[in-house]
Amino acid sequence: MSDLNFDRHRRLRSSDSMRALVRETHLRTEDLIYPIFVLEEEGQKNEVPSMPGIYQISLDRLSEEMDEVVSLGIRAVLLFGVPDVKDSVGSEAYNDEGIIQKATRFIKENYPDVLVVADTCLCEYTDHGHCGVIHDQYVHNDESLPLLVKTAISQAKAGADIIAPSNMMDGFVAAIRKGLDDSGFENIPIMSYAIKYASAFYGPFRDAAGSTPQFGDRKTYQMDPANRLEAQREAESDIMEGADFLIVKPAMTYLDIMREVRDRYNVPIVAYNVSGEYSMVKAAAQNGWINEQQIVLEKLTSMKRAGANLIMTYFAKDVAKWLKQ
């Protein structure tokens, strides 16, 4: 074979140590943001049936979850509220004594080094399950913006470190940025759900958050999964309006979008490894069809490889344990 001229790529794959030495992409516990669903009803820790290992947790039991989060080295949590009361305009979202506001204050008082990312939307708080004000079964964009601004300000007052608006209304970043600035929160960053597709992968989340639309769907404000160039327009708008982070949601089936956004914009990119992606892996693992740890680490590494700086994932605690090993 000495007369053949070819590259020997396998020299750099010869052992665990060699592979680690030349590894290009690294997944770290510090990259993870862990979503938590907080209930108002006391004494509750209810497993979400479609999301094994994920719970709706009442405020009085939140310390159990946070103690584990801190012990694992996870530095950021994403809070979703499950309120007792809902109405047509989602008023509990911007109630200073609402469930997210209370949970945020609790975490910042007791776990001050953990970053609180507040999901800023109305769907968990409206009786119709949509992300804004409804007229004739249509989500009214401009009437929804002031309510989202009030929500963001209320969350910032409670101590949220990052505001993460997920509603997909046009102009939501501009409105929230102005509202925060005018209220003295100019140093609070916005982690925008800039690119959020109308995906079938959100089903289990709606069980967890109680946010299933009571009529229609969200296709008039979330993006068509078939569109690529639209994602660039959405990202560009949010950057111009003041977004500090850009979220791509879902992650697994939109890695091409994530790579294009990473290549084009010099801000932190966040992958949201969504509920459906989580539940599929959990179901297959429970049936013994796959190696859960290997699958999850490969999936999340692919998101980092595609350009994500951070990953929102329900696997965060599991991954942190595996990385410690």
Side-chain angles (χ1 to χ4, degrees), residues 74-76 107-108 110-116 161:
I74 296 169
R75 298 185 178 183
I107 292 172
K108 296 312 297 183
N110 295 280
Y111 309 89
D113 294 332
V114 176
L115 290 173
V116 172
D161 298 287

Side-chain angles (χ1 to χ4, degrees), residues 66-167:
M66 291 305 303
D67 286 346
E68 185 177 15
V69 165
V70 170
S71 71
L72 291 171
I74 296 169
R75 298 185 178 183
V77 294
L78 172 63
L79 296 185
F80 295 100
V82 186
D84 284 342
V85 177
K86 301 187 179 190
D87 58 31
S88 63
V89 292
S91 58
E92 283 299 299
Y94 41 90
N95 178 358
D96 287 346
E97 294 302 317
I99 185 59
I100 285 300
Q101 288 79 356
K102 290 178 181 177
T104 299
R105 286 194 291 268
F106 173 82
I107 292 172
K108 296 312 297 183
E109 289 169 4
N110 295 280
Y111 309 89
D113 294 332
V114 176
L115 290 173
V116 172
V117 184
D119 180 79
T120 306
C121 197
L122 302 178
C123 61
E124 299 129 78
Y125 307 92
T126 55
D127 52 16
H128 46 72
H130 282 281
C131 303
V133 177
I134 298 293
H135 288 306
D136 298 323
Q137 295 197 339
Y138 185 81
V139 178
H140 195 284
N141 193 92
D142 294 7
E143 284 189 34
S144 302
L145 293 179
L147 303 185
L148 296 165
V149 172
K150 289 172 65 175
T151 301
I153 293 171
S154 180
Q155 292 169 337
K157 285 167 58 180
D161 298 287
I162 299 172
I163 298 300
S166 59
N167 53 87

